Amino acid sequence: MANQDQTDNRVVIGVDLGGTKVLAAVITESGEILSRAKKKTKPEKPPEEILGRVAACCREAAEGAGIALDAIQGVGIGSPGPLDPDKGIVIETPNMNLTNAPVTAFLQKELGIPVFLDNDVNVGTLGEYVYGAGKGLKHVVGIFMGTGIGGGVIVDGKLLHGFSYNAGELGHMKICAGGDVCGCGQKGCLEAYASKTAMIKRFKNAVNSGRKTILTKLVGNDWSKLTSRVFLKAVEEKDELVTKEVRRAARYTGVAVGSLLNILSPEMVVIGGGLVEALGDRVLKIIRKYAKENSFPITFQDVQIVAAALGDDAGILGAAALAWRNLNERKS
Amino acid sequence: MANQDQTDNRVVIGVDLGGTKVLAAVITESGEILSRAKKKTKPEKPPEEILGRVAACCREAAEGAGIALDAIQGVGIGSPGPLDPDKGIVIETPNMNLTNAPVTAFLQKELGIPVFLDNDVNVGTLGEYVYGAGKGLKHVVGIFMGTGIGGGVIVDGKLLHGFSYNAGELGHMKICAGGDVCGCGQKGCLEAYASKTAMIKRFKNAVNSGRKTILTKLVGNDWSKLTSRVFLKAVEEKDELVTKEVRRAARYTGVAVGSLLNILSPEMVVIGGGLVEALGDRVLKIIRKYAKENSFPITFQDVQIVAAALGDDAGILGAAALAWRNLNERKS
């Protein structure tokens, strides 16, 4: 508990629950991370076991910070969805055995402190909003480009949940009506053009049709090796295929961002994920150019289109922010 | 002032300021219209003259209701934008000489009562939300299909303005990246596919290339005669060209609605404008089908996609709602 004055000795636990691993961290209201813990999710196990592992991870984080569980204000959790944050229930998760699991009720009983749940990408956006790139603003859109593309929308300082609680599915906005088929089954989604999955599909086709690329050497037939670092290396070595595909993904992302400026008019669009982390301004410049071409001068003017600032910590920090917001709302 | 009890004897004036005409009406908080007035806008005149005509129209409406101006709580105005509702200034209007005009300041001085300003389509959406199809809901999207396509977004009971105050430009969301050129200069906007302007362009091309259609008889070379009634007649007489184009516009609108469900997750999408007014369910059925195909089951489920209920009165009623909301906020 070093470096903390009297006004900031309250802490929460932020949990990033993913299909592979659970991360938990003890975090102050100003966003200082006091301790971290990590466990495998074992997503195929029964819900009680998965959630039991989450609870154990929370206990480990508390121990690491030297703070008793009952001295912790609450727990925030970001989980894949769709889910119902009000009821604290995961409605469905394709890659984890948590369908209809009463996440907050189970963990509240297990840990004895308040637990709050939201969608992982909403939580990541909230993290960037409260502790990262979007600090101090009011209207922020988050787009996270990975295997899929997720999004979160902050309107007037609050996460937009909408009627179904599942607003902000920005990877599944349509940028080409009737266009490329997406993993979700719909057509023309942003994700079908600018996700890593979409890019790998096109790389494979190119390689199969005899196209020369450094990827053959760097990843061979194992596309799981296609990390952001490989993207960076291929672009730096001016590999034509990769450079062209990265630009294409950035162009389509720019069109989507432009469209979102006209719909939502945020003051900042935060873009996260490996591609932007590795290639930074090389990608952002193209996104900005196409966003400008696809929005009105008045909705583009003074907008910041920036890289996410928190990297992998957006999940735990956003989950902590979720807990703080709910706790402070209860008090007021 | 018949039919009003003691609790509802306060009134406001709702103004619908368009490029051709100004409509003003004295309206109670429950949405009862007590009197109406109408004037030509004369949009090419100096701003003081245009706003002077608005003031005169308000006075005439007050007189019509037999209520002195100073007994009226305030005035709400819907105007083409972009504009700044907080400052009460129209930033730019292509078809009216009001660029940078201090609308609310001028009228407040002229009329001696509070004046509130917002974008005409936002105001129309608010009208449908408070007094029309969306009564009692929380998350509503309004799409108004006319010469252009305008939109308004209600999030958690409030109009979404965003950072630039000009959110909700739903006619200029991109549904086909790099696609058809829109009147706004951008490419692939919904408006470039589903507005009357876009349809007329395609009708003209078809007629010029020798395509047979009842439109040759009904409108000849004067496309301003292409009213909703003509659309209805052509569809009822099974004109192939018109039927096909109407279906196409509805399909693209459905794609946009699906995309908006994934982004905003409203509980209702209200669709207004001549096409839906005239053709009703024939158009709505197609919009619903494509919205379903282009959204997630969870964001589509239980969503109502309906025709606007207020017709041309959405403008004055929404302007009244704007005034009531601002006045009630001040009090609280």
Side-chain angles (χ1 to χ4, degrees), chain B:
Chain B
M1 296 287 286
N3 294 330
Q4 277 194 276
D5 64 23
Q6 282 295 66
T7 60
D8 195 16
N9 56 7
R10 300 182 319 141
V11 294
V12 296
I13 297 177
V15 176
D16 182 350
L17 171 54
T20 313
K21 58 186 191 289
V22 186
L23 303 172
V26 172
I27 299 174
T28 68
E29 193 159 7
S30 62
E32 195 187 349
I33 297 171
L34 303 183
S35 68
R36 294 166 185 267
K38 184 174 167 178
K39 283 202 180 305
K40 282 188 183 151
T41 307
K42 303 198 173 168
E44 71 292 349
K45 299 277 178 186
E48 304 74 42
E49 203 173 324
I50 300 174
L51 296 174
R53 301 182 70 79
V54 173
C57 200
C58 288
R59 283 201 196 88
E60 202 180 308
E63 254 172 54
I67 303 177
L69 256 188
D70 59 9
I72 287 171
Q73 309 293 314
V75 178
I77 303 182
S79 158
L83 45 77
D84 182 332
D86 279 2
K87 293 189 183 145
I89 288 173
V90 168
I91 296 169
E92 207 190 318
T93 44
N95 305 318
M96 235 187 310
N97 190 17
L98 281 182
T99 297
N100 289 320
V103 176
T104 59
F106 181 97
L107 289 170
Q108 248 158 240
K109 206 172 152 197
E110 192 73 18
L111 301 171
I113 52 177
V115 179
F116 309 98
L117 176 72
D118 210 326
N119 169 290
D120 49 1
V121 193
N122 278 352
V123 161
T125 303
L126 191 62
E128 288 291 341
Y129 177 67
V130 175
Y131 300 119
K135 236 192 254 185
L137 305 181
K138 280 180 79 178
H139 304 280
V140 173
V141 166
I143 298 179
F144 295 85
M145 303 168 75
T147 316
I149 295 184
V153 178
I154 308 269
V155 169
D156 241 330
K158 278 183 165 176
L159 269 173
L160 172 66
H161 285 111
F163 176 51
S164 72
Y165 298 103
N166 287 279
E169 285 290 0
L170 308 183
H172 303 278
M173 58 186 290
K174 305 300 168 279
I175 53 165
C176 287
D180 289 3
V181 175
C182 183
C184 74
Q186 300 164 35
K187 285 178 185 170
C189 301
L190 172 61
E191 185 169 303
Y193 291 85
S195 66
K196 198 162 140 182
T197 309
M199 291 172 85
I200 288 178
K201 202 168 150 188
R202 291 172 59 88
F203 286 145
K204 276 185 189 168
N205 285 341
V207 170
N208 287 343
S209 68
R211 188 81 178 268
K212 272 191 189 162
T213 163
I214 197 175
L215 291 179
T216 319
K217 201 179 80 188
L218 295 176
V219 307
N221 280 319
D222 181 2
W223 291 95
S224 71
K225 286 188 190 158
L226 185 65
T227 59
S228 328
R229 209 170 288 181
V230 171
F231 270 111
L232 179 61
K233 192 169 170 58
V235 168
E236 279 182 341
E237 302 212 353
K238 298 194 168 41
D239 183 83
E240 208 192 304
L241 177 68
V242 175
T243 308
K244 212 176 136 190
E245 282 303 318
V246 165
R247 283 194 187 138
R248 181 178 182 269
R251 276 202 309 275
Y252 280 111
T253 306
V255 172
V257 169
S259 201
L260 288 168
L261 297 184
N262 280 352
I263 299 169
L264 297 165
S265 191
E267 60 205 303
M268 176 181 277
V269 180
V270 181
I271 302 181
L275 201 66
V276 170
E277 260 172 46
L279 293 165
D281 223 42
R282 272 180 271 213
V283 170
L284 285 170
K285 254 166 57 183
I286 301 171
I287 294 177
R288 286 191 199 109
K289 176 171 184 274
Y290 281 82
K292 185 175 181 181
E293 277 180 21
N294 287 280
S295 59
F296 284 138
I298 196 157
T299 56
F300 183 79
Q301 178 185 299
D302 299 328
V303 160
Q304 303 173 59
I305 299 173
V306 300
L310 303 177
D312 291 341
D313 283 348
I316 47 171
L317 283 166
L322 175 74
W324 284 118
R325 290 195 148 204
N326 277 284
L327 290 164
N328 292 338
E329 236 171 58
R330 281 187 178 187
K331 272 197 307 185
S332 66

Side-chain angles (χ1 to χ4, degrees), chain A residues 134-194:
Chain A
K135 236 191 250 185
L137 305 181
K138 280 178 78 178
H139 303 280
V140 173
V141 166
I143 299 179
F144 295 86
M145 303 169 72
T147 316
I149 295 185
V153 178
I154 309 269
V155 169
D156 241 328
K158 280 184 164 173
L159 271 173
L160 171 66
H161 285 110
F163 175 53
S164 72
Y165 298 103
N166 287 279
E169 285 288 1
L170 308 184
H172 302 279
M173 59 187 288
K174 305 299 169 280
I175 53 167
C176 288
D180 289 3
V181 174
C182 184
C184 75
Q186 299 164 36
K187 284 179 185 169
C189 301
L190 171 61
E191 186 169 302
Y193 291 85

